[in-house]
Amino acid sequence: MNDPANLAAVLARLDTQDNILARLDTRTERLDAPAPRWLSVAGAAAYSSLSEKSIRRLIGMGRLTPRRVLRGKLLVDRHEIDSVIGSAAPVAMRK
């Protein structure tokens, strides 16, 4: 039981577990943070589970109003995305 090799292996596992717990803590902190109000096209796609092409199509159709900021980057209001998705017609599922 008091074998130095065994003790070293136990310490290495504890160190690995501490690293895993530290990474989980930082991820949990990010999950607790509120979602940003303004999203890039890629962020809007990830937030809404749509493709970037669909987000750009909604912008082109005038259903989403982007804001153009630094060097032409488009930002979309998260609340507007929620509104567009909420106003979509429900889809009847086949049995």
Side-chain angles (χ1 to χ4, degrees):
M1 276 273 172
N2 293 334
D3 180 22
N6 188 28
L7 182 59
V10 168
L11 290 175
R13 279 195 310 247
L14 287 175
D15 187 44
T16 302
Q17 289 174 349
D18 286 342
N19 289 337
I20 291 169
L21 288 174
R23 286 194 312 239
L24 284 173
D25 282 343
T26 58
R27 289 180 181 174
T28 302
E29 289 170 4
R30 281 187 269 155
L31 289 174
D32 291 340
R37 168 91 187 257
W38 296 94
L39 303 168
S40 65
V41 171
Y47 174 76
S48 63
S49 298
L50 296 172
S51 68
E52 289 185 37
K53 186 175 180 178
S54 293
I55 296 295
R56 291 185 188 282
R57 190 177 304 124
L58 288 169
I59 291 170
M61 292 169 38
R63 301 217 30 220
L64 289 176
T65 308
R67 304 290 186 265
R68 192 172 295 279
V69 294
L70 302 173
R71 287 192 245 155
K73 184 174 183 173
L74 292 177
L75 294 180
V76 180
D77 186 354
R78 180 174 48 89
H79 298 267
E80 192 173 6
I81 295 169
D82 291 339
S83 176
V84 167
I85 291 172
S87 68
V91 177
M93 301 300 289
R94 291 184 182 185
K95 292 183 183 180

mmCIF file with all atom_site columns, all heavy atoms in Angstrom, residues 1-4 6-7:
data_model
loop_
_atom_site.group_PDB
_atom_site.id
_atom_site.type_symbol
_atom_site.label_atom_id
_atom_site.label_alt_id
_atom_site.label_comp_id
_atom_site.label_asym_id
_atom_site.label_entity_id
_atom_site.label_seq_id
_atom_site.pdbx_PDB_ins_code
_atom_site.Cartn_x
_atom_site.Cartn_y
_atom_site.Cartn_z
_atom_site.occupancy
_atom_site.B_iso_or_equiv
_atom_site.pdbx_formal_charge
_atom_site.auth_seq_id
_atom_site.auth_comp_id
_atom_site.auth_asym_id
_atom_site.auth_atom_id
_atom_site.pdbx_PDB_model_num
ATOM 1  N N   . MET A 1 1 ? 0.811  -1.196 0.000  1.00 0.00 ? 1 MET A N   1
ATOM 2  C CA  . MET A 1 1 ? 0.000  0.000  0.000  1.00 0.00 ? 1 MET A CA  1
ATOM 3  C C   . MET A 1 1 ? 0.853  1.258  0.000  1.00 0.00 ? 1 MET A C   1
ATOM 4  O O   . MET A 1 1 ? 0.484  2.236  -0.612 1.00 0.00 ? 1 MET A O   1
ATOM 5  C CB  . MET A 1 1 ? -0.905 0.023  1.239  1.00 0.00 ? 1 MET A CB  1
ATOM 6  C CG  . MET A 1 1 ? -2.174 -0.739 1.091  1.00 0.00 ? 1 MET A CG  1
ATOM 7  S SD  . MET A 1 1 ? -3.365 0.360  0.387  1.00 0.00 ? 1 MET A SD  1
ATOM 8  C CE  . MET A 1 1 ? -4.665 -0.740 0.089  1.00 0.00 ? 1 MET A CE  1
ATOM 9  N N   . ASN A 1 2 ? 1.963  1.244  0.697  1.00 0.00 ? 2 ASN A N   1
ATOM 10 C CA  . ASN A 1 2 ? 2.811  2.421  0.793  1.00 0.00 ? 2 ASN A CA  1
ATOM 11 C C   . ASN A 1 2 ? 3.869  2.444  -0.296 1.00 0.00 ? 2 ASN A C   1
ATOM 12 O O   . ASN A 1 2 ? 4.916  3.062  -0.119 1.00 0.00 ? 2 ASN A O   1
ATOM 13 C CB  . ASN A 1 2 ? 3.463  2.493  2.179  1.00 0.00 ? 2 ASN A CB  1
ATOM 14 C CG  . ASN A 1 2 ? 2.426  2.746  3.254  1.00 0.00 ? 2 ASN A CG  1
ATOM 15 O OD1 . ASN A 1 2 ? 1.385  3.316  2.972  1.00 0.00 ? 2 ASN A OD1 1
ATOM 16 N ND2 . ASN A 1 2 ? 2.712  2.328  4.473  1.00 0.00 ? 2 ASN A ND2 1
ATOM 17 N N   . ASP A 1 3 ? 3.618  1.781  -1.381 1.00 0.00 ? 3 ASP A N   1
ATOM 18 C CA  . ASP A 1 3 ? 4.553  1.714  -2.495 1.00 0.00 ? 3 ASP A CA  1
ATOM 19 C C   . ASP A 1 3 ? 4.671  3.094  -3.136 1.00 0.00 ? 3 ASP A C   1
ATOM 20 O O   . ASP A 1 3 ? 3.655  3.713  -3.477 1.00 0.00 ? 3 ASP A O   1
ATOM 21 C CB  . ASP A 1 3 ? 4.025  0.687  -3.507 1.00 0.00 ? 3 ASP A CB  1
ATOM 22 C CG  . ASP A 1 3 ? 4.925  0.530  -4.709 1.00 0.00 ? 3 ASP A CG  1
ATOM 23 O OD1 . ASP A 1 3 ? 6.120  0.857  -4.607 1.00 0.00 ? 3 ASP A OD1 1
ATOM 24 O OD2 . ASP A 1 3 ? 4.409  0.072  -5.742 1.00 0.00 ? 3 ASP A OD2 1
ATOM 25 N N   . PRO A 1 4 ? 5.885  3.635  -3.323 1.00 0.00 ? 4 PRO A N   1
ATOM 26 C CA  . PRO A 1 4 ? 6.052  4.972  -3.914 1.00 0.00 ? 4 PRO A CA  1
ATOM 27 C C   . PRO A 1 4 ? 5.465  5.073  -5.326 1.00 0.00 ? 4 PRO A C   1
ATOM 28 O O   . PRO A 1 4 ? 4.915  6.115  -5.691 1.00 0.00 ? 4 PRO A O   1
ATOM 29 C CB  . PRO A 1 4 ? 7.570  5.174  -3.936 1.00 0.00 ? 4 PRO A CB  1
ATOM 30 C CG  . PRO A 1 4 ? 8.110  4.248  -2.908 1.00 0.00 ? 4 PRO A CG  1
ATOM 31 C CD  . PRO A 1 4 ? 7.161  3.093  -2.850 1.00 0.00 ? 4 PRO A CD  1
ATOM 32 N N   . ASN A 1 6 ? 2.860  3.423  -6.461 1.00 0.00 ? 6 ASN A N   1
ATOM 33 C CA  . ASN A 1 6 ? 1.414  3.474  -6.278 1.00 0.00 ? 6 ASN A CA  1
ATOM 34 C C   . ASN A 1 6 ? 0.993  4.866  -5.813 1.00 0.00 ? 6 ASN A C   1
ATOM 35 O O   . ASN A 1 6 ? -0.002 5.419  -6.281 1.00 0.00 ? 6 ASN A O   1
ATOM 36 C CB  . ASN A 1 6 ? 0.973  2.398  -5.281 1.00 0.00 ? 6 ASN A CB  1
ATOM 37 C CG  . ASN A 1 6 ? -0.536 2.276  -5.198 1.00 0.00 ? 6 ASN A CG  1
ATOM 38 O OD1 . ASN A 1 6 ? -1.237 2.557  -6.158 1.00 0.00 ? 6 ASN A OD1 1
ATOM 39 N ND2 . ASN A 1 6 ? -1.020 1.856  -4.043 1.00 0.00 ? 6 ASN A ND2 1
ATOM 40 N N   . LEU A 1 7 ? 1.752  5.439  -4.895 1.00 0.00 ? 7 LEU A N   1
ATOM 41 C CA  . LEU A 1 7 ? 1.457  6.776  -4.391 1.00 0.00 ? 7 LEU A CA  1
ATOM 42 C C   . LEU A 1 7 ? 1.570  7.814  -5.509 1.00 0.00 ? 7 LEU A C   1
ATOM 43 O O   . LEU A 1 7 ? 0.717  8.702  -5.625 1.00 0.00 ? 7 LEU A O   1
ATOM 44 C CB  . LEU A 1 7 ? 2.413  7.125  -3.245 1.00 0.00 ? 7 LEU A CB  1
ATOM 45 C CG  . LEU A 1 7 ? 2.209  8.476  -2.577 1.00 0.00 ? 7 LEU A CG  1
ATOM 46 C CD1 . LEU A 1 7 ? 0.812  8.577  -1.994 1.00 0.00 ? 7 LEU A CD1 1
ATOM 47 C CD2 . LEU A 1 7 ? 3.249  8.696  -1.500 1.00 0.00 ? 7 LEU A CD2 1
#
